[in-house]
Amino acid sequence: MTNSEGVTPKRSASSFSLSPGFWLKLVVVGLIDAAFIAAIPVLVANQSWMLFGLLGLNVLLINWAYLSPRSNAGKWLAPGLVFVTIFVVWPIIYTGYVSVTNWATGNVLSQQQVITNLENEVIRVEGEGTNLELAIYDGPEGLAFLARQPDGATYFGIARQSSEEPIEDALIDTTGIDLTGDLPDVINDYSKLGLRELLGIAGQIEALVLDIPGGVIQAQTTSSARLIQAGQRYKYDAETDTLYDALRDVTCVTERGNFVCDGQRLDPGWRVVTGFDNYQRIFGDQRIRAAFIKVFNWNIVFAVMSVLLTFSLGLALANALQHDKMRGKAFYRSIFIIPYAIPAFLSIIVWRGLLNANFGQVNALIESLGGSGVPWLTDGTWAKIAVLGVNTWLGFPYMFLIMSGALQAIPNELKEAAMVDGASAWRVFRSITLPLLLVSTAPLLIGSFAFNFNNFVLIFLLTDGGPAVIGAPVPVGETDILISFTFDLAVNSGRGNNFALGSAIVIMIFVALAAISAFSFRFTKRLESIYGN
Amino acid sequence: MQKKPVIWLALLTVFALVLAACGSGEETVDAGDTTTSVIAETTTTTQAVTTTTEAAPMVELVIWADENRAKAIEEVIPAFEDKTGVDVIIELVDFGAMKDQVGVAGPAGEGPDIFIGASDWVGELATNGILEPIDLGAKADDFIASAKDGLTFNGTLYGLPYAVEAIALYYNTDLAPEAPATMEDAAAACADMVDITNCIGVTGGGDGTDAYHMYPFVSAAGGYVFASTDGIYDPTDVGLDSAGAISGALALETLVKDGVMASVNYDGAKNQFLEGTEPFWITGPWELGALNDQDTVNWAVAKLPKIADGTPKPFVGVQGFFLSSFSENKLVAQTFLLDFMATEEGMAAMFAADGRPPVHNAIIAATADDAAISTFGASAADGVPIPNIPEMGAVWGALGDNMAAIRNGTVDAETAMVNAATAVREAVNQ
Amino acid sequence: MSAKRWIREIGWRHIVLIIAAFFALYPVVWVLSAAFNPVDNLSAARLIPRGFTFDNFTELFESDLTPFGTWLFNSWRVAIVAASLNVILAALASFAFSRLRFRGRRAGLLSLLLIQVFPQFLGFIALFLLAQQIGDIFPAAGLNTQTYIIMVYLGGAIGFNAFLIKGFMDTIPVELDESAEVDGANPWQIFSRIIFPLSRPVLAVIFIITFINIYSEYILARTLLRSTQEFTMAVGLQLFVESNYSAKWGNLAAAAIIGAAPIVLTFLVAQKQIIGGLTQGSVKG
């Protein structure tokens, strides 16, 4: 990082010309615009407003970046920014939106879906287990249902669309036709449809009912039907935004994402924006707040220690290999890459088995060396040590790689000069090698910190946050980090999932982590100005 | 500088895009020509009918199942496809992620028509409006009541059951020829044995918190999670610190203190049993396959030994088929479930592939000779359904953690049960 | 070199490295053991299993339900495509940050970095809905397609990668592009003929790191990929362990070995270049 800001020349937009490159650019941007415009009708038809907005925004960005004479860096940044805005920024904004809703078990659908769901509900005339046998016939006047009660009574008649008005005399007289055994293939000029034919028109059959005295018959499968009351149980009135329940004869009002009938909440409900309730709960609920602070502290320790440990081990190994007369460099390097090459989720599960207090191989090894077993995953302190140990195993190869490169890059003359001046090897390392390394790798260390801060996979698979803090009012474990704690709180809340509460915590984690990172980057700036030239 | 790097950059991009494009053509669904022609025929025969003038669409049924169960339904599907011309697509979704995925994908219109899951999902999914009720109709009597109860929520049946499972006792017949009647008997039997590392192996200790495997200790002397009347649970009546639950926990504590039950997780308990150094192992029928595959250990299955003078009531999980309320082919899906799966053949195929105790009366009768299966069935008959209300989410962690604390000796039995009950009450009341 | 001096200068290094190698390989040995063990058992009580079998490997390629070969291919495809495009986009952006002066340059770079500390997987609901809406107009890039998940990964690490590449580009003397500019080169020519080729070493390393991260990513892939034909390896392997207690450790371990081997081999062959890339990447006088 040798360039100080002033040295680099200012580059203007002077490179604009009517060169072939310009025309190519015009064509490409034109194609993107055309594709977007062509997609607009579909987007509108599907009501994909989210995508419409995002694409529109990015198309504008591209047009500006490549066509505006004032755009300078824009054309270099635009390709990457398109993906960053759609797949990173937008999810953050959406998470923010979820955090101010009531999105939790019982409130996951949209209001329209809830209404459809409820309006599909029918009132059965008779109880469970009294389904009718059904056959469907095709004839001159349309499809006809033949339904037989368990007691042998039969109904045969022309089915109608359930949305149409009832037919008074839908039933056809079947006197003289034997309907006791297997149902006949032909009745008058109606012929029975086979399974294949029926399933081919299943969508139409679903919409049909047969009127009989006291109700209607509706197909349940292609061979069975149920007797229901004509008309549906719930009816939504869009004007008053209320729901009428025909069975209980009550009108239900809407309240915070649910229909409430006579003071009783009706499930399912739908998602609505409820404001900052979830944030208030995190700060206002003493139990959550206490756990939150405890977890936050360990989270910082965990992330910092993870970086420190992987950094030191990686550096130590890179340093040990860094000698002209060392043999077997390729051998060692290949071994150290292995933990990095195995998919992490798998090696974490293996470590979990190895660390088992009673039967794990780690304790077996310690015991065979004369030590006594360690409660790795069941004692709070040891579990924390185990988590850090495993994370060091997972992370040191990366640091080792980086450090190997960084070490080789430090000019030998610098070290030799210091040696000549009589400095000890440790002294040289401390005052020359380490500072230079820190300058060049600080961004990586911050990146590593940010990654480990939210290292959900490690905690979830190794300890699942455990061992539990005994007697804690909310489920929290000794090794829980914010993200695993959030997961527990969101998934195992008092009543199923609570996405909204989880999202609120995620947003808070994001803000905290961004603040810490921003601060760290300022700090690296200082480092640079001290050690950089 | 030469031109080379530009070419390199271009090549890399082209290579990347080619790679991205290749192979993506495979995913087109094989529509099957025979099916299409049959539907076309149907259309002609019903041409005069007003309701069927438009061309019949290709009917497709999407089923989500995990690997094991996918194998089972794969056997039934060809017959169904042949008879009906419906195209069945099985998508593998891992069991642990299924409930959440159905919850997100269903409302978004990307979900399955049918999925295979467990009874403890029913409450949450039904509350969310994801599940469609299932009406077994005349077939209801073919299934045992406890299986139907497990899939019933607030009085409505939401699934077609095909298996039940509850834990029981595996014992090493070389070490312990007789099944113990009580936990004390098991402990006493171990006292005479040599070369054992652990007497009774059951997960729920060490790092393996597991409320499911530990529940017999809660229930044996009368403890319970939520009180229920007629299958409707009252989440405000928590029985984890009732006298019965505490005496069960005290019995557990004694076993731990006597060194009879080491604090192990699932793999620990399994390994020791398979190594022949653990005479007793408490777990479910899903391990029958692993035991049948090995020849190191001679084993048998018995009902759970009595705990604190009471018969343990293990949690009974019911496996079943669910119908999504967002399915656009409900009639087809119901036909598949009721006319093809809820039959003796369908249920026999599920049993053959999955191996868990069956719930269809005919299959139960057919497997009566299988001692292990019928013992697991009997254990399930002693058990209680896993409460399927959404509030159960708060129980697993709280109960599992505190039972593990007893196993690890960090908290005394009574305090642990009070802690568990308090945590559940707080979570439910918030 | 005397033995004493050898020990002082070289010997201790070997001791440290051997201990570290033991640490690095320790769990791997158990993965190997499980892969050849006929009993599905991970934390086996014995290192040398009672039996020895290749079944765990052959089974992987036999089942239609779990087409491991396809998964492996998908993983490589997704990781190579996403990582190379990611590096290219990041290189373009870092050129702007390193060589151009524009309003909001520092703020822009910093915001890009800070945005990137948000773990993408937490926004899975938005990513899922987006996939569904894209699928409505362009099914080949919607839910359950590798195209979509590649695009998601493209957004994932650009900011951070751009930052690293920028650090390297800053070390390339400005005099080079100044003289090219005098010769009449435009920014694109300076980028493509001078800066990009000179940055190749760091680009290669960032490619490898991004590749490995994507290769083992599974939380997003699990949400966005549906059918077994589209799975990446990491998603597919979950099927072996999430089946309610009856995990297939043997298959899993065998799969891990097959999955990790190419990476280790690549590294074995290319390690000089990789370390070399890092060398030039960091501190340069």
Side-chain angles (χ1 to χ4, degrees):
Chain A
M1 322 223 157
T2 48
N3 277 353
S4 56
E5 301 288 320
V7 184
T8 319
K10 278 196 190 262
R11 225 170 272 288
S12 66
S14 65
S15 55
F16 266 85
S17 65
L18 296 181
S19 62
F22 175 77
W23 292 110
L24 178 74
K25 205 161 63 182
L26 210 59
V27 169
V28 171
V29 173
L31 282 176
I32 292 174
D33 290 352
F36 175 66
I37 291 166
I40 288 178
V42 191
L43 288 168
V44 173
N46 289 335
Q47 303 193 323
S48 305
W49 307 124
M50 179 205 274
L51 190 60
F52 191 7
L54 278 173
L55 289 182
L57 205 70
N58 278 294
V59 169
L60 282 181
L61 169 78
I62 290 170
N63 276 286
W64 175 80
Y66 291 102
L67 301 181
S68 159
R70 297 187 42 159
S71 140
N72 169 15
K75 38 186 175 297
W76 299 90
L77 298 175
L81 277 183
V82 167
F83 291 99
V84 172
T85 48
I86 298 182
F87 296 110
V88 184
V89 177
W90 171 248
I92 297 176
I93 295 171
Y94 197 81
T95 307
Y97 156 72
V98 173
S99 74
V100 294
T101 65
N102 63 345
W103 197 326
T105 296
N107 296 78
V108 301
L109 306 179
S110 67
Q111 184 173 16
Q112 191 49 51
Q113 283 173 321
V114 169
I115 292 167
T116 313
N117 192 315
L118 290 171
E119 286 191 338
N120 272 339
E121 214 164 294
V122 293
I123 306 172
R124 291 185 58 111
V125 168
E126 305 192 22
E128 197 82 24
T130 53
N131 280 37
L132 292 80
E133 210 177 324
L134 174 76
I136 297 170
Y137 290 78
D138 185 21
E141 285 181 63
L143 292 178
F145 282 8
L146 173 56
R148 181 161 62 187
Q149 294 266 35
D151 63 10
T154 56
Y155 310 96
F156 180 63
I158 314 235
R160 63 160 167 103
Q161 296 279 327
S162 57
S163 54
E164 286 168 4
E165 286 299 306
I167 306 175
E168 283 288 322
D169 48 352
L171 292 182
I172 297 168
D173 187 23
T174 53
T175 352
I177 303 170
D178 177 21
L179 294 176
T180 48
D182 284 341
L183 294 169
D185 284 338
V186 176
I187 301 178
N188 301 339
D189 30 1
Y190 286 85
S191 54
K192 192 168 146 190
L193 294 175
L195 191 53
R196 261 170 186 271
E197 297 156 325
L198 288 173
L199 289 178
I201 52 169
Q204 297 169 35
I205 297 173
E206 262 175 78
L208 296 177
V209 291
L210 167 65
D211 293 299
I212 64 164
V216 296
I217 285 170
Q218 187 184 46
Q220 173 118 31
T221 73
T222 52
S223 64
S224 67
R226 56 185 177 175
L227 187 53
I228 59 177
Q229 253 178 33
Q232 63 220 35
R233 172 167 179 184
Y234 296 105
K235 190 104 189 124
Y236 177 68
D237 181 358
E239 261 171 44
T240 54
D241 194 23
T242 53
L243 186 81
Y244 175 68
D245 178 355
L247 185 66
R248 287 183 291 176
D249 190 23
V250 288
T251 302
C252 315
V253 295
T254 51
E255 205 180 289
R256 283 174 70 91
N258 277 90
F259 290 115
V260 179
C261 319
D262 275 349
Q264 244 188 323
R265 221 169 63 161
L266 188 65
D267 282 323
W270 60 93
R271 305 187 306 255
V272 288
V273 172
T274 51
F276 291 90
D277 290 9
N278 295 303
Y279 292 94
Q280 276 171 13
R281 213 178 123 193
I282 300 167
F283 290 111
D285 189 328
Q286 174 61 35
R287 303 169 308 128
I288 294 184
R289 200 170 57 201
F292 196 88
I293 291 167
K294 178 184 161 62
V295 170
F296 185 79
N297 289 339
W298 157 243
N299 202 344
I300 297 278
V301 172
F302 165 73
V304 169
M305 287 300 288
S306 293
V307 176
L308 271 184
L309 287 170
T310 51
F311 174 79
S312 332
L313 184 59
L315 177 57
L317 296 179
N319 209 18
L321 265 184
Q322 181 79 8
H323 192 282
D324 294 341
K325 297 204 177 69
M326 261 315 272
R327 285 175 189 215
K329 281 186 185 175
F331 169 76
Y332 286 121
R333 279 179 190 151
S334 305
I335 285 184
F336 295 151
I337 195 68
I338 290 178
Y340 197 36
I342 298 179
F345 76 88
L346 182 85
S347 34
I348 296 167
I349 298 172
V350 174
W351 271 111
R352 182 179 184 146
L354 296 177
L355 287 169
N356 183 274
N358 295 70
F359 303 104
Q361 295 307 315
V362 175
N363 271 357
L365 186 72
I366 292 173
E367 277 158 23
S368 70
L369 295 175
S372 61
V374 173
W376 287 112
L377 301 174
T378 50
D379 174 85
T381 312
W382 284 111
K384 286 176 177 167
I385 293 171
V387 164
L388 286 172
V390 172
N391 206 21
T392 305
W393 185 88
L394 288 166
F396 88 87
Y398 171 74
M399 288 293 182
F400 166 76
L401 273 182
I402 303 288
M403 294 304 150
S404 300
L407 271 181
Q408 285 185 14
I410 294 176
N412 265 333
E413 308 88 65
L414 267 180
K415 290 195 238 173
E416 276 155 20
M419 289 282 208
V420 171
D421 289 347
S424 68
W426 171 242
R427 182 73 217 243
V428 171
F429 176 79
R430 220 190 50 195
S431 12
I432 296 178
T433 317
L434 193 60
L436 282 173
L437 277 180
L438 280 178
V439 172
S440 61
T441 60
L444 293 171
L445 300 185
I446 298 169
S448 169
F449 173 84
F451 169 78
N452 279 307
F453 196 88
N454 282 319
N455 198 338
F456 176 74
V457 174
L458 173 76
I459 301 294
F460 182 66
L461 294 180
L462 188 65
T463 62
D464 200 4
V469 175
I470 296 304
V474 285
V476 57
E478 295 280 356
T479 58
D480 258 326
I481 57 176
L482 285 172
I483 196 71
S484 62
F485 170 68
T486 306
F487 182 81
D488 270 357
L489 207 60
V491 169
N492 303 325
S493 72
R495 192 165 174 265
N497 291 328
N498 194 337
F499 286 124
L501 182 66
S503 295
I505 301 184
V506 164
I507 290 294
M508 289 174 56
I509 294 175
F510 173 58
V511 171
L513 187 53
I516 294 170
S517 304
F519 174 78
S520 314
F521 279 115
R522 290 184 67 91
F523 181 66
T524 59
K525 273 265 148 42
R526 283 230 309 276
L527 263 184
E528 254 177 82
S529 60
I530 293 168
Y531 296 106
N533 51 351
Chain B
M1 291 283 155
Q2 335 76 344
K3 277 201 166 145
K4 219 176 100 204
V6 189
I7 298 169
W8 187 76
L9 174 68
L11 274 180
L12 189 62
T13 317
V14 169
F15 172 65
L17 294 175
V18 166
L19 205 60
C22 84
S24 55
E26 302 158 15
E27 65 202 271
T28 44
V29 180
D30 180 17
D33 291 339
T34 48
T35 326
T36 328
S37 63
V38 169
I39 288 173
E41 252 167 54
T42 316
T43 321
T44 40
T45 54
T46 53
Q47 234 165 17
V49 184
T50 46
T51 47
T52 53
T53 40
E54 51 191 290
M58 175 69 208
V59 183
E60 215 171 63
L61 205 55
V62 177
I63 302 180
W64 281 9
D66 66 320
E67 196 202 338
N68 282 339
R69 282 152 265 230
K71 272 184 203 152
I73 48 176
E74 266 212 334
E75 293 187 17
V76 190
I77 280 166
F80 177 72
E81 287 183 322
D82 279 353
K83 274 197 190 145
T84 61
V86 170
D87 201 14
V88 180
I89 297 164
I90 303 179
E91 294 182 354
L92 286 201
V93 177
D94 54 50
F95 200 81
M98 180 102 63
K99 186 186 75 178
D100 293 338
Q101 296 236 2
V102 169
V104 181
E110 301 285 344
D113 295 298
I114 292 170
F115 59 100
I116 303 182
S119 50
D120 48 331
W121 307 351
V122 172
E124 188 186 323
L125 290 178
T127 305
N128 281 343
I130 309 286
L131 293 184
E132 186 75 11
I134 284 190
D135 198 331
L136 289 178
K139 297 212 156 107
D141 293 339
D142 295 345
F143 293 88
I144 58 173
S146 63
K148 288 179 286 184
D149 292 347
L151 301 180
T152 300
F153 175 68
N154 282 346
T156 307
L157 179 69
Y158 281 102
L160 165 67
Y162 76 86
V164 281
E165 64 187 11
I167 55 177
L169 179 79
Y170 290 95
Y171 60 103
N172 182 322
T173 48
D174 294 329
L175 295 169
E178 301 252 337
T182 67
M183 284 289 178
E184 291 77 23
D185 291 349
C190 289
D192 302 330
M193 296 177 199
V194 285
D195 284 342
I196 66 165
T197 49
N198 179 29
C199 180
I200 302 166
V202 53
T203 182
D207 55 323
T209 65
D210 194 322
Y212 174 78
H213 275 83
M214 285 284 96
Y215 189 67
F217 288 94
V218 177
S219 62
Y224 56 92
V225 179
F226 298 120
S228 76
T229 31
D230 299 331
I232 296 174
Y233 292 92
D234 175 6
T236 57
D237 183 348
V238 177
L240 292 176
D241 53 357
S242 61
I246 288 173
S247 57
L250 286 169
L252 173 67
E253 192 173 41
T254 310
L255 292 173
V256 171
K257 283 194 175 143
D258 293 349
V260 178
M261 194 182 280
S263 188
V264 291
N265 66 4
Y266 192 83
D267 282 335
K270 179 177 178 176
N271 288 334
Q272 301 304 308
F273 189 79
L274 291 178
E275 289 287 326
T277 59
E278 183 182 75
F280 304 109
W281 177 29
I282 295 176
T283 193
W286 52 85
E287 290 291 358
L288 287 170
L291 285 167
N292 284 324
D293 284 347
Q294 56 86 45
D295 45 18
T296 320
V297 172
N298 294 312
W299 57 278
V301 188
K303 291 214 294 186
L304 291 173
K306 286 193 169 191
I307 298 166
D309 295 329
T311 303
K313 298 191 255 311
F315 271 145
V316 179
V318 183
Q319 317 275 318
F321 293 82
F322 298 109
L323 176 55
S324 163
S325 59
F326 295 95
S327 165
E328 283 168 5
N329 291 307
K330 283 181 194 147
L331 187 75
V332 179
Q334 304 239 35
T335 304
F336 174 74
L337 288 183
L338 291 177
D339 293 354
F340 286 83
M341 289 313 306
T343 59
E344 218 177 306
E345 298 79 42
M347 288 289 145
M350 290 307 290
F351 172 72
D354 195 45
R356 290 168 215 243
V359 295
H360 189 273
N361 288 323
I363 315 297
I364 294 175
T367 53
D369 295 342
D370 187 327
I373 289 296
S374 41
T375 309
F376 275 113
S379 187
D382 284 346
V384 292
I386 301 173
N388 57 19
I389 52 176
E391 283 81 358
M392 199 57 194
V395 174
W396 297 116
L399 180 59
D401 287 345
N402 283 291
M403 297 299 273
I406 303 176
R407 296 280 300 274
N408 297 335
T410 43
V411 177
D412 71 89
E414 194 169 343
T415 314
M417 297 317 286
V418 171
N419 283 344
T422 312
V424 172
R425 281 188 196 112
E426 293 242 3
V428 169
N429 290 336
Q430 76 196 351
Chain C
M1 197 189 289
S2 71
K4 229 182 188 166
R5 190 159 160 229
W6 186 85
I7 291 175
R8 214 183 57 225
E9 269 188 26
I10 308 286
W12 68 269
R13 294 170 190 268
H14 280 291
I15 294 170
V16 171
L17 291 167
I18 287 169
I19 294 173
F22 177 80
F23 176 57
L25 290 181
Y26 185 67
V28 180
V29 174
W30 295 94
V31 174
L32 281 172
S33 167
F36 294 104
N37 193 335
V39 181
D40 268 325
N41 219 323
L42 191 66
S43 52
R46 50 187 77 234
L47 184 52
I48 311 296
R50 279 183 202 276
F52 181 87
T53 175
F54 281 109
D55 289 355
N56 290 324
F57 289 88
T58 52
E59 276 166 19
L60 285 177
F61 295 95
E62 281 165 0
S63 165
D64 290 340
L65 279 172
T66 54
F68 178 73
T70 310
W71 298 344
L72 202 59
F73 174 75
N74 291 346
S75 278
W76 278 86
R77 190 165 76 179
V78 167
I80 287 181
V81 173
S84 35
L85 293 178
N86 195 315
V87 167
I88 290 168
L89 296 183
L92 290 174
S94 48
F95 178 76
F97 285 122
S98 173
R99 286 302 198 264
L100 306 179
R101 290 292 167 269
F102 51 95
R103 208 144 42 92
R105 188 182 72 104
R106 277 159 172 277
L109 186 57
L110 189 66
S111 346
L112 207 53
L113 279 170
L114 295 187
I115 283 167
Q116 214 96 77
V117 301
F118 183 84
Q120 240 183 330
F121 73 87
L122 293 177
F124 75 95
I125 300 179
L127 292 173
F128 184 91
L129 296 175
L130 210 52
Q132 188 221 340
Q133 299 196 350
I134 291 177
D136 284 344
I137 50 167
F138 192 53
L143 199 62
N144 193 26
T145 64
Q146 286 165 22
T147 313
Y148 183 71
I149 196 137
I150 286 171
M151 295 197 296
V152 173
Y153 289 150
L154 276 186
I158 283 185
F160 200 66
N161 287 350
F163 184 71
L164 295 179
I165 300 172
K166 176 209 175 264
F168 183 90
M169 285 182 177
D170 284 347
T171 68
I172 299 173
V174 193
E175 293 76 30
L176 281 179
D177 14 339
E178 274 169 355
S179 63
E181 204 179 16
V182 170
D183 292 345
N186 63 27
W188 170 250
Q189 287 163 330
I190 292 172
F191 172 74
S192 60
R193 298 195 185 164
I194 300 174
I195 308 292
F196 190 81
L198 284 177
S199 311
R200 238 177 339 184
V202 75
L203 298 181
V205 172
I206 288 176
F207 170 80
I208 288 175
I209 290 170
T210 313
F211 175 91
I212 291 184
N213 287 341
I214 295 174
Y215 191 69
S216 55
E217 199 285 331
Y218 80 93
I219 301 188
L220 276 175
R222 185 169 96 161
T223 318
L224 300 174
L225 298 176
R226 268 299 138 61
S227 63
T228 33
Q229 289 301 316
E230 299 295 318
F231 278 2
T232 57
M233 188 183 69
V235 184
L237 294 190
Q238 291 294 309
L239 293 176
F240 292 139
V241 277
E242 290 218 336
S243 175
N244 254 11
Y245 298 116
S246 43
K248 295 186 169 169
W249 296 116
N251 296 103
L252 192 68
I257 290 170
I258 298 176
I263 296 183
V264 178
L265 285 179
T266 310
F267 188 79
L268 203 66
V269 176
Q271 54 174 305
K272 273 241 165 64
Q273 286 77 357
I274 295 168
I275 303 277
L278 291 157
T279 309
Q280 301 176 42
S282 16
V283 194
K284 227 181 162 190

